[in-house]
Amino acid sequence: MKKSAKAAANITPKAVPAASATTLSDDQMQALAQSFHDIAMEIGQVRLNAISAGSKLTDAAIVQMQGNVYTLMMTAGNFALQAANLTLANADQAVSEISLATQAADKALDKLQDIDKAVKIASSVIVLAMAISTKDMGQIAAAAKSVVTAAGVSV
């Protein structure tokens, strides 16, 4: 297991002590946007690889995967636009957990052939995006852990 996968496996939801809110930097928001964009592109590539390999994707699976790609691309765009406008308590911890989770998902999708697993990973990343918007570290940590689990990294 690679170092980032080991680190990602150690993600656990934690009670967050009262802390002053910190605004994410432009660089942190751009990194989040890039992570979500990369995962969207990987999901799209899994779909194309499956079609090229002769997989018989159902219309429902094609629609679901395209919807996931679209949602993740919109999320990436929204993060890029929000830049420094998202405020989180413990921003460094949040960005660290989110980065580990999205790296685990991206690596899992890199050579993935299993459409159902790709859909599961994409769905968990979308849940992570929604958790980020709540600004609640407990929800973010739980969603990050779900991404890691969906990617197949043991926790």
Side-chain angles (χ1 to χ4, degrees):
M1 192 180 315
K2 293 187 176 182
K3 183 179 178 182
S4 63
K6 284 182 183 178
N10 292 325
I11 295 174
T12 55
K14 299 173 186 157
V16 179
S20 60
T22 305
T23 300
L24 295 178
S25 70
D26 287 343
D27 289 342
Q28 289 172 318
M29 289 303 293
Q30 290 298 331
L32 289 176
Q34 186 65 53
S35 293
F36 280 79
H37 173 272
D38 292 349
I39 291 170
M41 299 308 322
E42 292 285 348
I43 294 291
Q45 191 61 52
V46 167
R47 181 182 141 276
L48 292 175
N49 290 347
I51 292 169
S52 294
S55 175
K56 291 184 170 60
L57 292 175
T58 65
D59 287 344
I62 292 170
V63 169
Q64 183 175 15
M65 289 186 79
Q66 281 305 109
N68 288 341
V69 168
Y70 178 78
T71 299
L72 290 168
M73 290 299 287
M74 292 300 296
T75 299
N78 287 338
F79 283 155
L81 288 175
Q82 288 177 15
N85 293 326
L86 182 64
T87 301
L88 290 171
N90 301 328
D92 290 336
Q93 178 188 356
V95 170
S96 174
E97 291 187 13
I98 294 162
S99 294
L100 290 172
T102 55
Q103 287 171 16
D106 195 35
K107 285 185 191 326
L109 289 165
D110 194 31
K111 295 186 179 161
L112 186 66
Q113 299 297 318
D114 183 342
I115 296 300
D116 291 334
K117 186 170 183 176
V119 169
K120 187 175 181 179
I121 292 170
S123 297
S124 68
V125 174
I126 291 168
V127 170
L128 175 59
M130 298 304 107
I132 292 168
S133 70
T134 69
K135 304 176 188 177
D136 179 295
M137 265 310 298
Q139 288 185 33
I140 293 168
K145 184 176 180 180
S146 292
V147 171
V148 172
T149 301
V153 178
S154 60
V155 288

